[in-house]
Amino acid sequence: MDTSNPALFVNAELLRMHVGRRVRAVIQVLRSDGGGSVVGNSTDGQQLVIKGHPPGPLSTFVEVIGIADSNQSIRADIWNNFGDVLDTASYNVVCQLANGDYKHLFI
Amino acid sequence: MSETDLTKDAIAILSGGDAAAESDIRPVLQVADIRLVETQNQTTTERYRILLSDGSFTQQGMLATQQNDLVRSEKLQKGSIVKLTQFVCNLIQNRMIVIIVNLDVLVEKCDPIGEPKPYPTKNDWSTSSTARQATPGQPVNQPASGGRIPSSFDDGSAPHVPPSSSHGSSFPSSKNSRSYNTANASPKYPKTEYGSGVLRAHVKNPPKLSYHQPPHQTVANRGPIAPRIIPIAALNPFQGGWTIKARVTSKGDLRRYTNTKGDGKVFSFDLLDFDGGEIKATCFNVAADKFHPQIELGRVYMISNGSVQRAKENFNHLPNEHEIFLNSFSTMQPCFEDDKFIPHQQFHFLPISDVEKLARDSNVDIIGVVSSISPSSSILRKNGTETQKRTLQLKDMSGRSVELTLWSNFCNAEGQTLEKMLDSGLFPVLAVKSGRVNDFNGKSVGTTFNSQFFIEPDFPEAQRLKTWFDGEGKCTPAIPISWGMSKTVSQIKDEKLGTLDKPDWITVSATLTYIKMDNFCYTACPIMIGDHRPCNKKVTDNGNGKWRCEKCDVILDKCDYRYILQMQIQDHTGTTWVTAFQESGEEIMGISAKDLCTLKHDEQDDVKFAERLRSVLFTKFLFKLKVKEEIFNDEACVKSTVVKAEKVNFQTQSRYLLDSMAKFKDEDLGTLPPPKSEILFQHLGRTLGNLQHQIAQAL
């Protein structure tokens, strides 16, 4: 397991704090523009743009891991399909806890 | 001013002891004099002695200490015209003393009216006392009887008239008052329950008196005394002469019973008063016949003269350690005023998650949304009678659900109503008062004779529940509390579960790590015992393709195959062995024991067998375990049996973990997150990771 490049759990709100860093987020796919970007809702309900080429068909919920290049976009190099059902509320809380009280458990 | 006309012949009536006339009057009298009583004991509250006049005669009286302020503030003074609203007349020796409990001051200052003379004392005492005796020892149970003297009198009470001569000439009768201390020769005190002996003793030794109640009760039925009402919470077995004012919150049926003493009838009802005190009242036989038709559910009554006793644990469904027993002397008087101040019902709702912690047979009030209900079924009771039963699931915001069992009449009446509502797509809110906790198969709640149902009630809690349900509650699956408390593997050992008399029922969320496949099933006897259960005893191979059951003593061609799985389960705290039998085995393996056996032995299909095993291992389950210590060859060993196994619902689990973390966080106000919540968080992470893994697998 390659631990050299840990990715932080983020939602839209936390993304802005980690611009330029490696992050991971789960989004609900709204639409994919053919030209290498996907627009989706973050787990706290804001729109994010994911740049890159997904390796295959995407399910409703996708986890993307990559570099945050702006407040609202991520340049993804890993795409994981999370299926069509996900409890976004729980995931959102995890994001908040992972960046807050339990930061020391993660990075 | 007719108001201030003194009531004619009032003193005569008061002194005459005419019970009938006295109970109606509220005499208007003038205060001829007020004196402060000199008590030997300086520490007691001051007492005022009042000389009352109706213009013709005067009568001695004592003012209840709660009215002392009237004197101190000079609202009540010599010459004031007053109306006695609550009073008792007591005959002490030859003297009549009026104890004034409550009075209205009509006129503060007034010149003396008339030239009253002291009312002649009754020297033909014996005749009047027999007269009193004749009034059929009017049981001191009328709400307006003279028995009720406020405790302010307990410093020695009225008749304890100081013998001192300081009272001098303004009380022309003082000559007689001095005779108080001499033994009273009069023999004929009316006998009452409390015994005249007490009175006599009292009179002989006034200074030693500390017992205030009985003497006054010797004069029964005196005056329109409004009884002193005490809160239900103050009732105790050692205090007689109480009155409570309460609303009937539940009325039981008149039940018949037979015991060694013969046949009897009993009837109970619940009371709730203004302060929120609740108590159960019971009547037997005559009293039951008397009160059952009188009492109306929801009405307010003033009740007195029952006996207060400690409530029996098994039958006590209210938060009061006492209960009342009414007898034929007890009284119930309906009240019409004051109705709205006494609440109609009182609940102490517990969140369903807390019901888990309650002991068996404890009483609980719960409120929740009915998520499902089963049809009625007949159950044979131990005593041979048949009764109806049905169950429903109640869930609330704590994320837990509880099984509520409805018995007999609840089954039919409320049960059907609820069933109809659910059939039409509604999820009604149900509040239960006085349900009983049962721990037969994990904790559940059942109805009793004393329970009450409120469907779709108008309480704020009900509103909150509806809002929650319409929002997220509907979709969030709730973990039934019958699954027992959620524990980790290490807690089984640490908390010494199962070592007490009864087995412990717990829920463990863990991963199945190993199954002993050598002997995963056994050959079982399929013969049905009774209606419900097959024998299930292990049958032995007879050698010729047939099986023999020792218990049923038969030889069978075919036998059942039943699971007996020895498995290891593991969570972040440790690993432990558990055993799963047929039902839970099937839940876990996903295939019947027979089929699996066929796969292994008959078809010798190792590949498929291994595949099946692999698909099951390392899956996370929610195990409902029964943990009990067993003695095997002098060795005590804690055995865990899987009663039920369910694949973990990650959403529910995550929510539950997040909730627990939040709870821990609240408890710990320090800056560092407490270790517990860290572990939970890791757990949560793992749960989410599992979810990811599962999804990946599925895809």
Side-chain angles (χ1 to χ4, degrees):
Chain A
M1 195 161 133
D2 179 12
T3 53
S4 59
N5 246 343
L8 289 162
F9 280 88
V10 296
N11 54 19
E13 201 187 303
L14 296 160
L15 182 62
R16 64 194 72 221
M17 300 197 311
H18 299 292
V19 175
R21 294 214 195 92
R22 197 167 171 74
V23 294
R24 68 168 72 209
V26 164
I27 57 154
Q28 180 179 10
V29 177
L30 292 172
R31 63 179 183 275
S32 357
D33 301 334
S37 71
V38 170
V39 178
N41 266 339
S42 67
T43 50
D44 54 347
Q46 290 181 41
Q47 276 199 15
L48 295 177
V49 176
I50 315 296
K51 297 179 187 152
H53 294 274
L58 294 174
S59 60
T60 313
F61 291 95
V62 179
E63 183 192 43
V64 292
I65 307 176
I67 307 290
D69 59 341
S70 83
N71 276 357
Q72 284 169 315
S73 64
I74 301 174
R75 226 179 330 116
D77 41 45
I78 301 177
W79 302 70
N80 292 320
N81 274 337
F82 264 27
D84 298 326
V85 176
L86 188 72
D87 185 8
T88 49
S90 297
Y91 191 91
N92 207 39
V93 178
V94 171
C95 287
Q96 289 164 343
L97 293 170
N99 283 282
D101 291 333
Y102 300 95
K103 209 165 178 172
H104 56 282
L105 292 179
F106 288 82
I107 303 285
Chain B
M1 290 195 290
S2 56
E3 224 183 278
T4 52
D5 279 354
L6 304 181
T7 309
K8 195 161 179 275
D9 295 329
I11 301 294
I13 295 172
L14 294 183
S15 298
D18 185 344
E22 254 192 48
S23 53
D24 293 326
I25 59 168
R26 289 194 175 200
V28 176
L29 300 164
Q30 180 172 41
V31 175
D33 201 355
I34 302 185
R35 288 266 169 160
L36 180 62
V37 166
E38 260 190 31
T39 53
Q40 267 129 334
N41 191 348
Q42 289 304 328
T43 58
T44 52
T45 344
E46 50 196 12
R47 304 299 305 284
Y48 288 100
R49 202 164 159 199
I50 298 190
L51 193 65
L52 297 163
S53 139
D54 67 352
S56 315
F57 293 104
T58 59
Q59 181 63 261
Q60 280 182 39
M62 294 293 293
L63 184 67
T65 51
Q66 59 238 46
Q67 307 297 344
N68 279 0
D69 269 346
L70 289 175
V71 180
R72 289 193 209 109
S73 62
E74 290 193 354
K75 280 206 176 69
L76 182 63
Q77 47 177 275
K78 186 166 165 184
S80 299
I81 311 282
V82 299
K83 178 151 123 175
L84 302 188
T85 51
Q86 258 180 277
F87 62 92
V88 204
C89 293
N90 277 307
L91 205 68
I92 308 302
Q93 297 217 299
N94 283 346
R95 302 227 46 87
M96 181 61 71
I97 305 290
V98 180
I99 317 296
I100 305 160
V101 180
N102 215 342
L103 77 178
D104 293 335
V105 179
L106 300 176
V107 180
E108 280 179 36
K109 277 191 200 300
C110 186
D111 290 329
I113 298 172
E115 281 187 1
K117 309 261 181 316
Y119 198 78
T121 53
K122 290 211 162 279
N123 282 320
D124 50 334
W125 169 232
S126 40
T127 50
S128 61
S129 73
T130 38
R132 235 186 312 282
Q133 241 174 342
T135 52
Q138 206 68 273
V140 286
N141 57 13
Q142 246 96 10
S145 82
R148 218 134 301 98
I149 300 299
S151 54
S152 55
F153 273 64
D154 56 4
D155 59 355
S157 67
H160 182 44
V161 172
S164 70
S165 53
S166 65
H167 283 273
S169 54
S170 61
F171 285 81
S173 50
S174 60
K175 197 152 88 162
N176 281 339
S177 78
R178 264 183 239 123
S179 68
Y180 263 70
N181 286 338
T182 62
N184 175 35
S186 163
K188 292 213 176 59
Y189 284 110
K191 286 218 186 313
T192 65
E193 312 164 55
Y194 298 87
S196 53
V198 182
L199 180 62
R200 239 172 274 144
H202 157 69
V203 168
K204 277 197 193 126
N205 310 294
K208 293 207 196 106
L209 180 74
S210 57
Y211 202 48
H212 62 282
Q213 295 259 6
H216 304 302
Q217 263 136 9
T218 59
V219 188
N221 204 14
R222 285 273 169 215
I225 300 291
R228 181 179 111 256
I229 295 171
I230 65 169
I232 285 178
L235 284 173
N236 64 73
F238 310 109
Q239 178 182 0
W242 46 261
T243 301
I244 53 172
K245 184 169 174 179
R247 195 185 297 275
V248 176
T249 56
S250 124
K251 180 178 172 182
D253 298 322
L254 188 60
R255 302 207 304 274
R256 276 160 231 277
Y257 64 88
T258 309
N259 62 14
T260 48
K261 300 187 199 144
D263 289 334
K265 289 184 226 175
V266 67
F267 148 65
S268 302
F269 54 98
D270 295 343
L271 296 161
L272 170 65
D273 75 356
F274 175 66
D275 300 303
E278 297 191 77
I279 195 163
K280 175 179 164 184
T282 307
C283 331
F284 287 95
N285 305 320
V286 175
D289 280 333
K290 177 175 166 194
F291 292 120
H292 181 80
Q294 275 183 29
I295 290 176
E296 269 176 54
L297 178 63
R299 296 289 297 278
V300 176
Y301 295 90
M302 284 212 288
I303 301 169
S304 43
N305 236 295
S307 83
V308 179
Q309 291 178 22
R310 289 203 87 83
K312 295 194 195 58
E313 277 303 312
N314 294 345
F315 300 103
N316 187 20
H317 62 282
L318 291 173
N320 192 329
E321 49 182 24
H322 295 111
E323 60 180 309
I324 298 176
F325 289 94
L326 299 179
N327 49 50
S328 38
F329 294 128
S330 313
T331 54
M332 281 198 77
Q333 210 190 24
C335 292
F336 302 106
E337 353 74 35
D338 238 353
D339 214 46
K340 26 186 200 311
F341 293 114
I342 301 182
H344 278 262
Q345 209 37 273
Q346 185 164 270
F347 296 92
H348 303 278
F349 288 125
L350 267 190
I352 291 177
S353 51
D354 285 354
V355 174
E356 204 163 44
K357 305 187 191 114
L358 293 177
R360 177 176 145 184
D361 286 342
S362 42
N363 285 290
V364 68
D365 299 339
I366 48 175
I367 186 169
V369 177
V370 181
S371 52
S372 66
I373 188 166
S374 71
S376 269
S377 62
S378 278
I379 288 265
L380 205 63
R381 271 200 285 206
K382 276 193 197 142
N383 60 1
T385 56
E386 226 183 70
T387 189
Q388 298 285 31
K389 158 188 170 172
R390 57 159 101 205
T391 58
L392 58 84
Q393 292 292 330
L394 212 59
K395 75 186 208 188
D396 75 355
M397 295 179 270
S398 65
R400 306 304 297 268
S401 72
V402 65
E403 185 180 271
L404 182 69
T405 307
L406 283 68
W407 293 97
S408 47
N409 49 324
F410 279 103
C411 207
N412 303 326
E414 286 85 345
Q416 277 190 359
T417 314
L418 290 168
E419 187 171 27
K420 282 209 189 86
M421 291 173 98
L422 280 154
D423 282 343
S424 45
L426 289 170
F427 293 98
V429 174
L430 173 68
V432 181
K433 177 153 174 79
S434 296
R436 174 169 288 178
V437 176
N438 193 333
D439 73 350
F440 167 63
N441 203 10
K443 292 265 159 68
S444 62
V445 178
T447 59
T448 65
F449 282 123
N450 297 305
S451 307
Q452 282 183 291
F453 271 24
F454 298 87
I455 302 179
E456 293 280 352
D458 197 11
F459 313 143
E461 291 93 342
Q463 284 309 314
R464 279 201 288 272
L465 266 169
K466 272 199 125 48
T467 322
W468 162 78
F469 192 74
D470 290 337
E472 45 170 66
K474 205 179 240 170
C475 338
T476 320
I479 303 174
I481 62 166
S482 59
W483 281 64
M485 302 219 53
S486 205
K487 300 271 176 208
T488 59
V489 167
S490 58
Q491 278 176 302
I492 297 177
K493 251 215 199 91
D494 293 343
E495 292 179 11
K496 294 198 163 58
L497 294 176
T499 51
L500 299 173
D501 290 335
K502 296 187 117 217
D504 281 314
W505 300 87
I506 58 169
T507 299
V508 176
S509 164
T511 309
L512 186 55
T513 54
Y514 178 71
I515 307 179
K516 240 187 189 163
M517 289 323 272
D518 300 340
N519 273 324
F520 63 85
C521 67
Y522 70 99
T523 46
C525 173
I527 296 189
M528 294 300 249
I529 299 198
D531 260 345
H532 306 281
R533 294 193 322 109
C535 168
N536 284 339
K537 189 152 168 70
K538 184 168 179 181
V539 295
T540 48
D541 192 341
N542 228 7
N544 52 353
K546 296 199 193 290
W547 308 91
R548 178 179 161 73
C549 174
E550 298 285 338
K551 192 167 169 190
C552 304
D553 201 21
V554 287
I555 297 196
L556 306 149
D557 291 330
K558 284 195 116 195
C559 63
D560 273 348
Y561 289 88
R562 292 178 68 83
Y563 273 120
I564 176 162
L565 296 169
Q566 307 266 54
M567 324 181 300
Q568 262 192 317
I569 62 172
Q570 190 172 22
D571 72 357
H572 61 281
T573 60
T575 182
T576 186
W577 285 95
V578 300
T579 311
F581 290 101
Q582 178 68 345
E583 290 81 14
S584 42
E586 272 189 18
E587 279 166 2
I588 294 168
M589 298 302 295
I591 184 178
S592 75
K594 183 151 201 273
D595 289 344
L596 196 59
C597 236
T598 318
L599 208 58
K600 179 164 191 194
H601 297 287
D602 298 347
E603 294 171 23
Q604 304 263 327
D605 194 340
D606 285 336
V607 174
K608 266 214 182 123
F609 186 80
E611 228 182 74
R612 167 63 58 168
L613 191 58
R614 216 182 41 208
S615 73
V616 168
L617 282 179
F618 294 102
T619 321
K620 203 159 177 193
F621 286 94
L622 204 56
F623 294 106
K624 178 177 175 182
L625 298 177
K626 174 179 156 187
V627 184
K628 184 81 186 79
E629 190 173 52
E630 282 168 21
I631 314 270
F632 241 178
N633 303 333
D634 293 339
E635 239 181 63
C637 188
V638 175
K639 291 264 165 84
S640 303
T641 313
V642 178
V643 176
K644 217 171 156 136
E646 221 176 60
K647 292 250 173 69
V648 164
N649 177 319
F650 293 104
Q651 181 177 350
T652 328
Q653 271 291 90
S654 307
R655 292 277 173 102
Y656 171 70
L657 290 169
L658 285 171
D659 265 349
S660 309
M661 283 169 60
K663 270 200 202 131
F664 280 128
K665 204 145 175 245
D666 282 342
E667 284 174 9
D668 190 78
L669 300 171
T671 49
L672 286 174
K676 267 186 183 154
S677 51
E678 270 197 24
I679 292 172
L680 279 177
F681 193 59
Q682 288 170 332
H683 209 179
L684 175 66
R686 220 165 278 134
T687 305
L688 285 175
N690 262 337
L691 175 63
Q692 270 176 278
H693 179 65
Q694 286 238 331
I695 292 168
Q697 267 197 328
L699 298 170

